[in-house]
């Protein structure tokens, strides 16, 4: 993760802040935006000042910037040339002015900031991305937001299979309540995702769920 997950900054060196529940590394400007969201959305730590616990390190290696942005920026369909565009998980067509733009979006609300943009612009994007979940696609293709029976089945299967990123996607779209909601399917016995992770021995997924819950 040599670049910031939110603005793509890398010229001043690798990002020096990380979110222990989102699994991303960000620059100091974008970290300010994360801190303003509150710890219920993003729990920030310093790469240089804080000790990264083994469980957090495991989560960071399972998620990381590229994988996380495939979830959080799924609706950002046009990518800037060079720089940001050439990074894993961010392929696409060039946006105007070297920035990533949102299909159907207008003005700043649909534009991914560049490293040279102001701190305010970066932090506004961070709020739209993580608090409003403006660019996250539905977990269930062509599904309804309230189709929780399908979502909980998808989540339970992902936990049992050790599919960290599908669990992450469910958390990003529905929030932490999804992993503490009992699955009433006949084959799950009312277990939550946390219970399933424990019974299946899926430690990285358990750590992810607990970081959010």
């Amino acid at each position: 993760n040599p670049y910031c997950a939110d603005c793509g900054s890398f010229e001043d060196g690798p990002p020096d802040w990380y979110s222990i529940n989102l699994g991303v590394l960000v620059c100091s400007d974008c970290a300010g935006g994360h801190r303003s969201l509150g710890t219920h959305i993003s729990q920030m730590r310093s790469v240089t000042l804080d000790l990264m616990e083994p469980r957090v390190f495991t989560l960071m290696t399972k998620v990381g910037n590229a994988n996380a942005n495939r979830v959080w920026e799924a609706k950002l369909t046009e990518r800037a040339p060079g720089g940001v565009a050439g990074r894993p998980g961010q392929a696409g067509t060039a946006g105007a002015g070297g920035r990533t733009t949102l299909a159907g979006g207008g003005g700043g609300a649909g534009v991914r900031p560049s490293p040279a943009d102001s701190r305010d612009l970066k932090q506004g994007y961070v709020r739209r991305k993580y608090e409003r979940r403006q660019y996250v696609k539905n977990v269930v293709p062509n599904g309804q937001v309230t189709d929780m029976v399908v979502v909980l089945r998808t989540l339970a299967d992902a936990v049992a299979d050790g599919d960290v990123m599908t669990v992450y996607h469910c958390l990003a779209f529905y929030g932490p309540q999804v992993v503490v909601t009992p699955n009433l399917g006949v084959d799950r016995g009312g277990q939550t995702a946390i219970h399933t992770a424990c019974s299946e021995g899926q430690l990285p997924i358990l750590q992810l769920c607990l970081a959010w819950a």
Side-chain angles (χ1 to χ4, degrees):
N1 296 303
Y3 59 92
C4 173
D6 298 324
C7 74
S9 175
F10 69 98
E11 292 181 354
D12 295 329
D16 48 8
W17 293 89
Y18 63 97
S19 173
I20 64 174
N21 60 312
L22 299 178
V24 297
L25 284 96
V26 298
C27 69
S28 57
D29 281 353
C30 293
H34 281 257
R35 288 193 296 271
S36 73
L37 300 178
T39 56
H40 63 293
I41 296 178
S42 185
Q43 301 164 31
M44 296 305 297
R45 299 291 186 273
S46 169
V47 172
T48 56
L49 300 178
D50 295 309
L51 176 65
M52 184 181 290
E53 299 176 9
R55 63 180 180 84
V56 176
F57 179 79
T58 299
L59 180 58
M60 297 294 296
T61 57
K62 293 287 185 180
V63 182
N65 291 2
N67 284 333
N69 279 346
R70 290 188 184 100
V71 172
W72 293 105
E73 297 183 344
K75 292 182 180 179
L76 290 172
T77 57
E78 297 182 6
R79 303 297 178 180
V84 172
R87 295 181 187 136
Q90 297 186 330
T93 57
R99 295 194 182 120
T100 307
T101 59
L102 173 66
V111 178
R112 188 181 198 269
S114 72
D117 282 323
S118 70
R119 179 174 297 183
D120 286 346
L121 195 153
K122 293 176 184 178
Q123 294 184 3
Y125 175 76
V126 166
R127 186 167 296 278
R128 292 191 300 274
K129 180 177 176 180
Y130 300 106
E131 182 180 60
R132 300 177 189 170
R133 303 169 187 164
Q134 191 167 322
Y135 314 123
V136 182
K137 288 184 177 179
N138 197 339
V139 174
V140 182
N142 303 315
Q144 298 296 319
V145 173
T146 56
D147 193 3
M148 291 305 296
V149 173
V150 177
V151 172
L152 291 174
R153 185 185 307 126
T154 300
L155 177 61
D157 290 344
V159 173
D161 293 340
D163 185 349
V164 173
M165 290 313 301
T166 295
V167 176
Y168 187 94
H169 190 179
C170 290
L171 283 162
F173 191 80
Y174 290 99
Q177 68 272 13
V178 76
V179 298
V180 295
T181 301
N183 185 338
L184 300 179
V186 294
D187 59 336
R188 297 299 175 185
Q191 287 190 332
T192 68
I194 292 177
H195 290 125
T196 302
C198 289
S199 62
E200 297 286 344
Q202 298 291 356
L203 184 57
I205 289 179
L206 176 61
Q207 292 166 343
L208 174 63
C209 292
L210 292 176
W212 279 69

